[in-house]
Amino acid sequence: MAWRIPSKEAIPALKKRLENEKLDTKKQDYVLTSLAFIPEKSAAETMYSFSNHPDSSLAEMANYWLSFRQGNDWKDFWIGVKLEWIRRKQEN
């Protein structure tokens, strides 16, 4: 239901939920999708924080959303996040 009411206030709770190691892949996807539809810089930064996660499926989904959102709702504040994202990808 969080994705229906995108709110900056939901970001900490979504992040905490993603940090739960017992969360299955389907629920991770649901939470990341909710996060992806919050048009706030802190949502992009939170998504970025999961883009290099040890759980490769979580990292892959986070990278998908970072790539997808860079041209729309996150474009106005994307440049700083993107520079860090590109730097990290070049290191790996």
Side-chain angles (χ1 to χ4, degrees):
M1 177 85 81
W3 66 270
R4 292 183 185 194
I5 310 168
S7 167
K8 184 177 185 174
E9 289 76 26
I11 295 169
L14 294 171
K15 182 177 181 184
K16 186 174 181 176
R17 184 141 191 211
L18 284 168
E19 290 169 343
N20 179 351
E21 294 177 6
K22 296 179 182 178
L23 194 65
D24 66 49
T25 303
K26 186 175 181 177
K27 290 179 182 168
Q28 286 176 344
D29 186 41
Y30 179 78
V31 175
L32 283 172
T33 301
S34 298
L35 184 63
F37 284 91
I38 300 174
E40 298 287 340
K41 182 177 182 178
S42 56
E45 291 169 340
T46 300
M47 187 71 75
Y48 171 76
S49 74
F50 288 98
S51 67
N52 201 32
H53 197 273
D55 177 341
S56 61
S57 65
L58 179 58
E60 185 178 325
M61 287 186 285
N63 278 295
Y64 164 80
W65 281 115
L66 285 169
S67 178
F68 183 78
R69 300 303 277 168
Q70 69 180 315
N72 45 54
D73 285 347
W74 290 355
K75 71 180 178 212
D76 291 339
F77 44 79
W78 173 245
I79 207 63
V81 175
K82 185 174 183 177
L83 291 174
E84 181 61 25
W85 187 51
I86 290 169
R87 183 195 61 75
R88 186 189 304 153
K89 286 194 165 287
Q90 288 174 344
E91 288 176 358
N92 293 329

